[in-house]
Amino acid sequence: MTSRNQNVHGTGGATDSAGQPMRSDAERNRGRIIAAARTVFGRDGLHASMASVAREAGVGIATIFRHFPVKEELVAAVFADRMEAYAQATAEALANPDPWDGFTGYIEEVCAMQAADRGFADMMTMSFPGAEALEALRAQAYQGFLELIERAKDSGHLREDFTSRDLVLLLMANAGVLSATGDAAPDAWRRLVAWMIQSFQAPARGPLPDPPEDAALYEAMRRASQGMGSSEAGKRR
């Protein structure tokens, strides 16, 4: 469950841990922290330290933890708008009258969103059970993607053994390529995505190994998010 002082959109109206409105200086600090985290996470990914965010914001690490006791809450504040865009991309894809164009356009759009922000690339391969607003948007996008899959299969363009878990694997692979290539080969991800889209197309060239179970993928994503914050624990003691 998100804490009472969390405002996931990073806008005004923030409250303290007792649910009271923040003083103007405290709210300004909170805004500076969120803006700094956008910069640091976007550049370095979610494994960047809270100390790095504090330096970027020009505040002490104690100030960071007063506003965001756990890193997950800061991630939720920073990426709420991007998760809304992610969910909206599904709705726009479903509005495309061509099922295959809608399906492939959605995959390209989501992977482009990853490429534009390393923090978002990481977040798409992690699960944050305590960030209820983020997870609700993720679930909304997931339900829309299931419909995209069925439409593309019904049109005869998508191979029958494609599952929603294949998108998770693609996002994980894309995040890895983005992390490895960085600014040395910033468009390398496009080739990966193009290859994968062609492999998804019917008719299938041959059988595939079974996909991982949903529970196994969720556990992998959960562990990734736990690893993101593990290095911070000692800094608070």
Side-chain angles (χ1 to χ4, degrees):
M1 183 178 295
T2 54
S3 68
R4 285 175 292 179
N5 68 332
Q6 182 178 336
N7 173 354
V8 296
H9 293 280
T11 56
T15 59
D16 62 21
S17 60
Q20 299 300 315
M22 283 186 181
R23 300 191 316 271
S24 59
D25 58 338
E27 191 163 357
R28 282 195 299 272
N29 276 342
R30 187 176 188 281
R32 289 168 64 189
I33 292 165
I34 292 172
R38 285 184 186 276
T39 298
V40 172
F41 292 157
R43 180 187 65 224
D44 302 329
L46 294 189
H47 290 282
S49 69
M50 295 285 259
S52 297
V53 175
R55 286 192 296 271
E56 181 75 24
V59 301
I61 191 69
T63 300
I64 296 274
F65 285 120
R66 276 199 299 273
H67 289 276
F68 302 99
V70 294
K71 194 174 183 180
E72 183 180 77
E73 294 183 5
L74 180 56
V75 170
V78 169
F79 290 106
D81 58 344
R82 286 162 176 76
M83 283 301 284
E84 288 176 350
Y86 172 53
Q88 180 60 31
T90 317
E92 292 173 358
L94 287 169
N96 190 321
D98 186 311
W100 181 244
D101 282 349
F103 174 83
T104 59
Y106 174 74
I107 289 176
E108 291 167 348
E109 174 67 17
V110 172
C111 289
M113 291 171 69
Q114 283 188 298
D117 188 318
R118 274 200 61 188
F120 186 74
D122 287 344
M123 197 196 73
M124 291 299 292
T125 63
M126 298 178 182
S127 176
F128 301 93
E132 295 175 353
L134 289 188
E135 292 305 311
L137 289 168
R138 192 196 302 273
Q140 177 184 332
Y142 176 76
Q143 291 302 315
F145 187 61
L146 292 180
E147 188 173 345
L148 284 172
I149 291 172
E150 290 308 309
R151 292 175 72 228
K153 286 183 178 180
D154 289 344
S155 73
H157 290 91
L158 180 62
R159 55 188 295 163
E160 284 297 322
D161 55 359
F162 181 91
T163 80
S164 60
R165 285 162 282 181
D166 292 314
L167 175 63
V168 179
L169 293 174
L170 172 57
L171 294 176
M172 288 179 170
N174 195 43
V177 168
L178 291 167
S179 178
T181 57
D183 58 5
D187 290 327
W189 68 274
R190 296 183 184 278
R191 187 170 178 87
L192 168 70
V193 173
W195 271 115
M196 295 305 296
I197 286 175
Q198 289 184 36
S199 74
F200 298 155
Q201 194 166 10
R205 272 59 174 181
L208 295 172
D210 291 338
E213 297 293 332
D214 285 330
L217 275 181
Y218 179 81
E219 177 64 12
M221 295 169 71
R222 187 188 66 81
R223 289 182 182 181
S225 64
Q226 287 183 328
M228 171 196 75
S230 61
S231 62
E232 306 295 337
K235 296 182 176 66
R236 301 183 59 192
R237 296 191 182 103

